[in-house]
Amino acid sequence: MSPPHTPDLFGGAEPMPQSERPAEAARALREQLHRWAHQYYVLDAPTVPDAEYDRVYRALQALEAEHPDLITPDSPTQRVIGAVLDGLAPVRHAVPMLSIHTETDTEASGAIAFDQRVRRELGLAESDPPVEYVAELKFDGLAMSLRYEHGRLVQAATRGDGEVGEDVTHNIRTIRQIPLVLTTVAGQPVPPLLEVRGEVYMRRDDFEALNERQREHGDKTFVNPRNAAAGAVRQLDSGISAQRPLSFFAYGLGAVTPAAEGGPAFATHHEWLMALKAWGFPVAQQLRLATGAQALVAFHREIGAARDQLPFDIDGVVYKVNRLDLQRDLGFKTREPRWAVAHKYPAQEMATRIDGIDVQVGRTGKLTPVARLAPVFVGGVTVTNATLHNLFEIRHKGVRVGDTVIVRRAGDVIPEVVGVMPGARTAYVPNFRMPRQCPVCGSAVVREKGEANHRCTGGLFCAAQRKAAVLHFASRRAMDIEGLGDKLVEQLVDGQVIRTLPDLYRLGLTSLIALERMAEKSAQNVLAALDTSRQTTLPRFLFALGIRHVGEATAKDLARHFGTLDAIMDAPLDALLGVPDVGPVVAQSIRTFFDQPHNREVVEQLRACGVHWPEGPVAERAPQVLAGKTVVLTGTLPTLSRDAARELLEAAGAKVAGSVSKKTHYVVAGEEAGSKLAKAQELGVPVLDEEGLRALLAGQAPDAG
């Protein structure tokens, strides 16, 4: 087998001997992928599109499959091994992972007291220069020790009791920010032995997305990002860990080859951190050199003010004496270094009492139970309400009115109840039940089979859903009302200028000009766009109504099958089930929508306002060459827009899906195609370009990649 064609890696190089070519190709591919991964995961500055990374990754996979002897432990293809272990083996730390003394005084005096202790123990007089410190973040995650031998990751261990931790190498290898191999940078060689200490954590957005996936599947949610990260690290199956979005920051050292034996000769802690950064480890950008007590105070206040805007949780900051010789002079007290301290912030989890449970209705009709709390100070603010997410979450956590619960607030995330304090309930309290009618509009509340969330069926009628309904109605693929964007809709709804969709067609020039930042010309343009939208098509109108589960393709199928809106509104369930790709859930959703008298009233008022479309008998469906086929579009095609390609495919009977699976028949890929293309190639799904798409539509056998 010849090596993969990688001109960016091998172009211009002297031809290698045939026997060495695969090994050299594999080495070059690994180095390129390591470099790109570092730019993407650590520097947050990707230099190539996903498709290019995937192309080189697949080339390395193919080369290793042909030559298994070329596979190395540090290869990017070996990050997720997938083996399930019998248990986590104990690891004795060569250098103990000691805890740091915590300064619980959250005010400035905590930093001042630490500086005074350091100066006193170093024997410094008041006239002596101030001490230089490194000020860092105190991450709320799981402490980790990474052991590298000759630049390669050989072991990862948890803190444990400080002396003995657990071997979690198989899981740590799945974290993309952690380098598997280190290389000499800027003339600084990697020491033969290097133990890097740091924190495994989970970003807040990743944590929220993970919990949302758990809720959608009816699975148990995680209490906070730290618990989620710790649980992922201690999995016996690395395949499970790989599905959990973990990150890493380096902040210290364990065992290191001494300078006398070839190790680095650094004089300060800051120099070590910069070396770790150069070798490929992520180091928090908030790191700061601070001279004297007042600089520490300023750092504590600055980070405290920005704490909510950080993408991850911290519970304080850490101060460390910068000079390593002064660290040695200060030494340790029991099991804590005298040269470092953790300066805390107010807690982000506190206990309080639930006084009641209300229900809020969101923009999409989702009903969310919200706990009314006895006021509690959490994360720097007083919290009186916290989300309970849904009824299943309440049942999982066993929450009832009157319980003492743990409330968590982190950053801009809505406060949530994460658990009940055991033993606090003294009398029987009935379970909370979701209302049968929407608390805003009185419409029926439903929960579809397989879903955890309850929803209001009010749709067009419900005031809580009004903004979302109007924006969807006016969107390009629906009624296409140009100029009716977020800010204008917000003013119209909040000012009660419009209360229902038909009110849009009753707007006048005077009412629009009265709005903020609305000039006469802009108002006239909006009115002209509204007038133009009165003439539409039945599929567009159906889609614009915002019926749950009815997208563009289903709206077209309904219009083609029934011919008229009245036939659709009056169709029984069994008739709806006769429409292609309409299953029981979609059919019931359509039936529920049109069974609401207020929804029918809105439709009739829109018709009375002049909204119309061609209607007629049921159209005979033309022969469809792609009937029953599922196609995915990705990237940019040379001449066809995404919408145009979708319309051609749907007209030919294909279902256009948003993700690639084993059931996908074709993927049409253009320029800058990303993960969908990679998934198709992984599953062996035929990949077409625009020429292949046109051949497919013409009923010809396309050339697939």
Side-chain angles (χ1 to χ4, degrees):
M1 170 182 170
S2 60
H5 178 59
T6 52
D8 52 325
L9 298 179
F10 301 115
E14 288 295 320
M16 291 177 291
Q18 188 66 34
S19 60
E20 295 180 16
R21 191 171 293 173
E24 289 300 311
R27 178 194 58 76
L29 289 168
R30 285 196 298 269
E31 289 179 358
Q32 180 69 81
L33 291 169
H34 283 314
R35 185 158 51 250
W36 286 342
H38 177 70
Q39 291 163 348
Y40 184 93
Y41 292 106
V42 178
L43 302 182
D44 196 23
T47 58
V48 294
D50 289 350
E52 179 63 10
Y53 181 95
D54 294 343
R55 181 185 70 81
V56 177
Y57 183 90
R58 289 192 302 272
L60 179 59
Q61 274 186 317
L63 192 58
E64 291 178 343
E66 183 75 11
H67 303 278
D69 56 305
L70 297 180
I71 299 175
T72 61
D74 64 284
S75 174
T77 65
Q78 301 302 298
R79 276 200 177 270
V80 183
I81 300 173
V84 180
L85 307 183
D86 293 331
L88 299 176
V91 174
R92 180 165 293 278
H93 300 298
V95 174
M97 295 184 71
L98 303 180
S99 58
I100 298 178
H101 175 72
T102 298
E103 180 57 67
T104 56
D105 184 345
T106 59
E107 301 303 321
S109 54
I112 295 172
F114 172 64
D115 179 64
Q116 289 174 341
R117 285 198 303 273
V118 168
R119 294 183 64 84
R120 184 171 61 251
E121 293 180 13
L122 288 174
L124 298 177
E126 191 172 333
S127 58
D128 288 326
V131 176
E132 185 179 63
Y133 301 96
V134 175
E136 308 172 6
L137 303 183
K138 185 178 183 299
F139 307 105
D140 195 9
L142 184 71
M144 189 62 52
S145 180
L146 309 175
R147 184 181 177 92
Y148 289 80
E149 294 178 1
H150 303 288
R152 297 185 185 277
L153 177 65
V154 297
Q155 190 176 69
T158 62
R159 180 199 298 274
D161 63 3
E163 296 283 347
V164 178
E166 294 174 311
D167 189 332
V168 290
T169 313
H170 63 299
N171 291 330
I172 293 305
R173 292 172 63 87
T174 70
I175 302 176
R176 297 283 181 175
Q177 287 180 313
I178 293 177
L180 300 179
V181 61
L182 310 178
T183 56
T184 297
V185 177
Q188 180 59 60
V190 180
L193 171 62
L194 174 67
E195 284 189 352
V196 178
R197 301 282 164 83
E199 199 92 354
V200 173
Y201 68 97
M202 190 176 288
R203 290 171 53 98
R204 290 182 190 139
D205 54 355
D206 288 334
F207 172 72
E208 290 300 313
L210 173 62
N211 262 354
E212 189 59 35
R213 290 196 299 271
Q214 294 292 106
R215 292 186 197 102
E216 288 175 359
H217 292 94
D219 296 331
K220 181 180 178 181
T221 55
F222 298 94
V223 173
N224 54 45
R226 186 192 185 284
N227 286 9
V233 167
R234 299 190 73 256
Q235 289 288 330
L236 297 178
D237 183 355
S238 60
I240 296 176
S241 299
Q243 298 170 18
R244 307 279 173 84
L246 299 177
S247 299
F248 178 79
F249 276 128
Y251 55 65
L253 299 166
V256 182
T257 302
E261 300 175 18
F266 292 133
T268 67
H269 177 64
H270 187 264
E271 289 175 343
W272 263 115
L273 291 177
M274 293 304 98
L276 292 177
K277 187 174 182 180
W279 286 327
F281 294 96
V283 175
Q285 64 179 8
Q286 293 80 8
L287 180 78
R288 191 77 47 81
L289 282 173
T291 302
Q294 290 307 314
L296 297 181
V297 170
F299 181 78
H300 185 265
R301 287 176 176 167
E302 176 190 334
I303 297 300
R307 182 186 184 190
D308 286 353
Q309 281 70 55
L310 293 174
F312 45 80
D313 283 359
I314 63 171
D315 53 8
V317 294
V318 176
Y319 313 133
K320 299 174 182 176
V321 173
N322 190 31
R323 281 174 49 183
L324 300 180
D325 61 336
L326 294 184
Q327 289 187 10
R328 288 190 290 269
D329 291 345
L330 288 164
F332 298 85
K333 179 181 179 181
T334 315
R335 296 177 58 80
E336 296 175 344
R338 286 189 172 93
W339 44 266
V341 72
H343 193 178
K344 299 278 280 188
Y345 287 121
Q348 292 183 298
E349 291 185 359
M350 295 292 289
T352 188
R353 183 186 67 252
I354 292 185
D355 289 336
I357 298 177
D358 299 327
V359 174
Q360 293 180 351
V361 184
R363 287 165 57 99
T364 62
K366 175 185 171 183
L367 270 64
T368 302
V370 176
R372 282 189 287 107
L373 307 171
V376 60
F377 195 71
V378 185
V381 301
T382 299
V383 172
T384 56
N385 295 292
T387 181
L388 291 162
H389 296 291
N390 56 52
L391 183 63
F392 287 87
E393 193 85 348
I394 293 175
R395 294 287 189 268
H396 275 314
K397 293 173 179 173
V399 175
R400 302 192 187 191
V401 174
D403 283 350
T404 299
V405 295
I406 301 298
V407 175
R408 174 178 172 78
R409 177 187 176 272
D412 294 328
V413 177
I414 298 170
E416 66 172 334
V417 172
V418 297
V420 176
M421 295 282 284
R425 192 181 300 154
T426 58
Y428 171 76
V429 177
N431 270 322
F432 168 79
R433 296 183 181 278
M434 292 294 283
R436 295 184 176 181
Q437 281 78 40
C438 172
V440 174
C441 70
S443 298
V445 170
V446 299
R447 181 183 68 81
E448 294 175 358
K449 185 177 180 180
E451 278 209 354
N453 296 318
H454 288 70
R455 296 182 181 276
C456 164
T457 58
L460 308 178
F461 176 74
C462 184
Q465 303 175 63
R466 196 168 290 155
K467 290 179 188 176
V470 173
L471 284 169
H472 176 75
F473 185 82
S475 63
R476 183 168 57 86
R477 293 178 177 175
M479 300 300 286
D480 194 18
I481 306 173
E482 190 173 347
L484 206 60
D486 289 26
K487 292 182 179 179
L488 179 55
V489 169
E490 188 170 340
Q491 288 190 72
L492 291 170
V493 172
D494 290 347
Q496 297 190 13
V497 180
I498 59 173
R499 290 180 174 82
T500 65
L501 292 178
D503 288 341
L504 286 170
Y505 294 97
R506 300 177 184 129
L507 288 171
L509 189 62
T510 303
S511 59
L512 283 174
I513 291 175
L515 298 175
E516 185 180 349
R517 298 195 184 114
M518 179 60 73
E520 182 174 344
K521 180 62 175 175
S522 298
Q524 289 174 340
N525 289 339
V526 171
L527 291 176
L530 280 163
D531 190 53
T532 301
S533 74
R534 284 186 166 92
Q535 182 172 340
T536 186
T537 65
L538 179 53
R540 276 184 174 271
F541 184 77
L542 277 173
F543 178 59
L545 292 178
I547 304 169
R548 186 161 166 76
H549 300 306
V550 175
E552 293 175 81
T554 302
K556 291 174 182 176
D557 284 340
L558 288 166
R560 187 185 297 116
H561 186 87
F562 289 102
T564 69
L565 179 61
D566 289 335
I568 296 170
M569 291 197 298
D570 295 334
L573 272 177
D574 57 351
L576 290 169
L577 289 170
V579 179
D581 292 328
V582 172
V585 172
V586 178
Q588 185 58 61
S589 181
I590 297 168
R591 191 65 273 134
T592 299
F593 182 89
F594 287 118
D595 281 346
Q596 302 295 317
H598 47 72
N599 286 338
R600 285 179 173 265
E601 177 63 23
V602 168
V603 169
E604 293 311 316
Q605 287 186 31
L606 285 168
R607 280 171 153 173
C609 289
V611 178
H612 63 283
W613 52 85
E615 283 191 323
V618 178
E620 287 293 329
R621 180 177 294 206
Q624 295 183 302
V625 295
L626 297 181
K629 303 294 186 184
T630 299
V631 182
V632 172
L633 296 168
T634 182
T636 303
L637 298 175
T639 65
L640 285 174
S641 69
R642 185 75 65 89
D643 288 346
R646 174 188 291 272
E647 289 179 5
L648 288 172
L649 285 164
E650 289 177 346
K655 176 184 177 182
V656 180
S659 59
V660 181
S661 71
K662 292 180 179 179
K663 296 181 179 180
T664 304
H665 293 90
Y666 298 99
V667 168
V668 179
E671 290 294 323
E672 298 185 3
S675 58
K676 294 177 185 177
L677 174 58
K679 184 71 171 178
Q681 292 168 330
E682 178 187 333
L683 295 175
V685 176
V687 177
L688 310 178
D689 56 11
E690 184 176 320
E691 185 179 346
L693 169 61
R694 292 187 182 279
L696 188 69
L697 293 168
Q700 303 168 4
D703 292 329

